Amino acid sequence: MERSSWQFNVVMMLAWTLVAFLVLPMFVVVPVSVTDQRYLSFPDEGISFQYYWKMVTDPFWRDAILASLRVSVLSALFATILGTLCAIGCWRLTSRFSEFVRLLMLTPIIVPGIVHALAFYRMWIQLGLIDTYTGVILTHTLIGMPYVMIAVSASLANLDIRLEQAARSLGASMSQTVRLVIIPCIMPGIISGAVFAFVISWDELVILLFITSRAIQLLPKSIWDGINDNIDPTVAAVATAMIAFTLLILLGQILVRRRTAARAAP
Amino acid sequence: MATQNVAAARALDLEPRTLRLPGITWALIGPAVALLLIFYIWPLVQVLLISVTEVDDRAAGMALGNYGLLFVDEGVQRMLWRTAQICVTTTVLTLIGGYIIAYAMVHVTGRQRSFLMFAVLLSFWLSVLIRAFAWIVLLNNNGLAYEAINLFWQPLRDTGIVQGRLQLARTEAGVIIGMVHYMLPYAVLPLFANMQGIDQRVMMAARGLGASPFGAFRRVYLPLSAPGLLGATVLVFVFSLGFFITPSLMGGGKVVMISEYIWFSMEQTLRWGLATMLATTLLIAVMALIALMSRFVDMKQMYGAK
């Protein structure tokens, strides 16, 4: 279709409408978050930031946010270390076996959440890990690893294998090669893998519903409860904060990319 | 394994002394694989085992054990049918929408493309719970979308074709809106990656040879984008099959799909046999679809596109 044809214009109009459908609903929670009413509604007489205040002072919300941060940071850390090492190992072993390992490591992405939630529940009962931080962090590490593997493997694919050979022939031990040559080269991949693992853990609810009850209250579970009770406008404040956060991260990423592109250009 | 490592070392063209290295390779791979096997694969295998060992009361005496319920239990069948219907509708709508957005993204340049990409990525990264919450606020009986859609509904009501106002909260329509909204980025990203690889000049060539704009699109562009379309179809369909959060929040317990059904069987009725049987069925369906797709689409590229 030519740029000027009416068909093209119709497609463009449809595309922008669809993008509006994609983006606009998120922002409907912003006015709700500053409501002056006691229930989920738009502001009536004036705007009030009481629910933001509640989000950071009410133990229910504050503790959930802090606990979620702790769990996500720790599981992202573990997932990143294990996933990165495994990706490097697979990269060195270019054989059918490493393809198998890669495929195996990707299973948590393929298996539907409800299925592994059931599996974890059954296993965690036997191991006494139900409703413990160890149990939650372990599950989040496992489901975060594949994303780290993918991101790091993508970085490794662009890495010249002769760099490693050079380091080795200059007398570096294997661990020195990994530490001083390979890891610095694939740092961007590791960082994006870590971010992915963090987000996966931060947003994960299905497993949480199965393996936690009273002792552990993380943010997704609090939002879930808040929505099901359908009265607490604090959920809208949390939602707005999370939208703002996502926006910031994306904008930051674009700025960084633009700067690296500008540096690479001349 | 030793011979394989030797072969691998040869393939890498390493010096002979590096043949001792596989030891450290194992140290790199070992922890992750061990963790996965013990705490992930083994529990999954257990679920599969329970589905055949713990026979549900209602499945007692059936030839296929718990799996017999798939063929005789009306409640289960109704739920499976509903799941299939919702997933097919979601997939079709998502692909049409995703195709249009991806097509636009490829054909505009500069600022417009950045903005479109930014919008897609924003919703891709935003929490699924927050997005479901936004839709619940919109679709509630005094929500904005509810009012807007019913404004268009009004003329139909005046003519008497339909009665009452269109309900969106806690209905299949609402669930589908929420699911399409969630899945759109998952369709746009692989489609965009695929379309970027299509040489725009083939379209000019088709036009130059006398094809109409739509004819050129249908006969040239559409077939060239088929791999991306197929990949996106399976991805979206597989995701919607096992989707839990959006359907349960927006269905409000009225539109129960397979994931929520499994959850209920587990939490409320404690029917382990039924829950694990359905989980196994879901797992097999998903695995089969992915295996089917990997025959036609390069999976690595799909993951790279994410």
Side-chain angles (χ1 to χ4, degrees), chain B:
Chain B
M1 221 41 75
T3 52
Q4 239 171 9
N5 287 333
V6 173
R10 276 204 196 112
L12 293 178
D13 195 23
L14 296 177
E15 290 167 41
R17 63 188 176 87
T18 57
L19 285 183
R20 282 179 287 111
L21 288 185
I24 190 128
T25 310
W26 279 111
L28 291 171
I29 295 180
V33 171
L35 203 68
L36 194 79
L37 286 176
I38 300 169
F39 293 108
Y40 192 84
I41 302 295
W42 174 235
L44 278 181
V45 170
Q46 276 191 314
V47 164
L48 307 192
L49 288 177
I50 297 166
S51 76
V52 287
T53 53
E54 281 184 32
V55 179
D56 194 80
D57 291 341
R58 274 197 239 162
M62 277 192 224
L64 294 168
N66 290 323
Y67 292 87
L69 290 173
L70 289 175
F71 304 99
V72 296
D73 191 299
E74 272 184 32
V76 170
Q77 282 187 333
R78 245 198 324 270
M79 176 277 294
L80 288 177
W81 180 235
R82 186 186 307 122
T83 307
Q85 271 182 318
I86 293 177
C87 288
V88 169
T89 316
T90 302
T91 309
V92 170
L93 292 176
T94 307
L95 281 169
I96 296 173
Y99 199 93
I100 294 172
I101 297 178
Y103 186 88
M105 270 164 66
V106 174
H107 287 83
V108 296
T109 45
R111 212 166 270 266
Q112 282 197 59
R113 181 189 284 178
S114 314
F115 186 85
L116 288 173
M117 193 54 164
F118 187 78
V120 171
L121 285 178
L122 175 63
S123 64
F124 179 76
W125 283 102
L126 189 65
S127 162
V128 51
L129 277 160
I130 301 303
R131 291 165 65 182
F133 173 66
W135 275 109
I136 289 170
V137 172
L138 273 168
L139 296 180
N140 258 336
N141 276 5
N142 45 18
L144 283 174
Y146 174 79
E147 299 292 348
I149 290 173
N150 273 299
L151 211 63
F152 290 104
W153 206 242
Q154 187 69 34
L156 284 176
R157 234 161 15 115
D158 292 341
T159 57
I161 300 173
V162 290
Q163 251 114 56
R165 308 194 80 186
L166 185 66
Q167 287 298 315
L168 290 168
R170 295 167 192 233
T171 62
E172 273 190 28
V175 170
I176 290 169
I177 291 176
M179 282 175 70
V180 170
H181 186 253
Y182 181 80
M183 300 290 169
L184 261 177
Y186 290 92
V188 172
L189 295 175
L191 277 168
F192 176 67
N194 167 268
M195 285 180 188
Q196 265 193 319
I198 297 176
D199 191 337
Q200 299 297 328
R201 284 170 302 185
V202 295
M203 288 297 281
M204 280 191 251
R207 290 283 288 137
L209 291 167
S212 69
F214 185 71
F217 172 77
R218 190 173 58 88
R219 296 227 201 125
V220 179
Y221 201 84
L222 203 57
L224 281 173
S225 61
L229 208 50
L230 189 74
T233 308
V234 177
L235 196 66
V236 171
F237 190 72
V238 161
F239 265 23
S240 12
L241 268 187
F243 211 9
F244 177 80
I245 295 169
T246 303
S248 12
L249 280 176
M250 302 193 61
K254 284 189 179 161
V255 189
V256 177
M257 286 169 62
I258 187 163
S259 286
E260 202 180 356
Y261 200 87
I262 293 173
W263 192 49
F264 274 137
S265 316
M266 237 333 294
E267 289 263 304
Q268 313 282 322
T269 50
L270 300 175
R271 293 167 72 182
W272 272 98
L274 180 65
T276 51
M277 182 275 282
L278 288 172
T280 310
T281 309
L282 178 61
L283 186 60
I284 292 171
V286 165
M287 290 287 190
L289 282 167
I290 301 245
L292 191 72
M293 174 174 82
S294 64
R295 298 186 58 149
F296 299 102
V297 185
D298 184 5
M299 289 288 284
K300 274 189 201 153
Q301 232 177 3
M302 289 282 304
Y303 282 122
K306 275 174 84 175

Side-chain angles (χ1 to χ4, degrees), chain A residues 141-154:
Chain A
T141 303
L142 285 164
I143 59 165
M145 276 197 307
Y147 295 94
V148 178
M149 283 278 291
I150 290 171
V152 175
S153 297

